[in-house]
Amino acid sequence: MDAETIKKRYAAGERYFPAANLVRARLIGVYLPGINLWGADLSGANLARAKLWGADLSRANLANANLTRANLSGVKLNEANLRGAKLNFTKLYGADLTGAYYDETTKFSRGFDPVSMNMQKF
């Protein structure tokens, strides 16, 4: 399933896309609040300025994804792979990052503390 298909199906009212393969997808500025992408592969995807508040990205692979300036408020990111992800200026208010993985290449906004969010460093 590609990015265009998901956008069309979302516009038609569908919200459930578990384990979707969106490797290197271009989703810049996409408006998909409340979407369920549990276990999806979004590695290398460009989600800059995406509006995904309230989405479920639990166990999603977001390795090396660009989430710069994305709105992830209230998003479930439990056990998500955020290694190498760019989270500069990303809104994470109320997001659940419990067990999410990060490494030394993950870029966070200044002052963000992954340990206080119960994230795991790998």
Side-chain angles (χ1 to χ4, degrees):
M1 184 175 316
D2 63 9
E4 290 305 313
T5 301
I6 288 203
K7 288 191 274 188
K8 286 177 187 172
R9 288 171 59 180
Y10 181 93
E14 193 172 344
R15 299 291 182 267
Y16 190 65
F17 304 95
N21 183 351
L22 294 165
V23 174
R24 291 185 300 280
R26 291 184 42 86
L27 294 162
I28 301 165
V30 72
Y31 181 84
L32 301 170
I35 194 167
N36 186 326
L37 289 167
W38 184 95
D41 190 348
L42 291 148
S43 55
N46 191 341
L47 292 150
R49 298 183 320 277
K51 285 128 183 99
L52 301 170
W53 56 83
D56 188 350
L57 295 170
S58 301
R59 295 193 173 189
N61 182 5
L62 291 154
N64 301 308
N66 182 1
L67 295 155
T68 303
R69 297 190 185 277
N71 186 336
L72 302 181
S73 298
V75 171
K76 294 178 187 173
L77 285 157
N78 313 79
E79 299 178 23
N81 179 3
L82 294 168
R83 288 178 272 198
K86 295 176 186 171
L87 295 155
N88 308 60
F89 307 105
T90 301
K91 293 179 183 172
L92 291 165
Y93 310 112
D96 186 351
L97 290 149
T98 304
Y101 304 103
Y102 71 101
D103 63 15
E104 64 281 343
T105 65
T106 305
K107 304 290 185 216
F108 294 107
S109 293
R110 182 176 294 151
F112 181 83
D113 179 18
V115 174
S116 71
M117 300 299 286
N118 298 313
M119 295 178 72
Q120 298 180 27
K121 186 171 184 178
F122 269 79

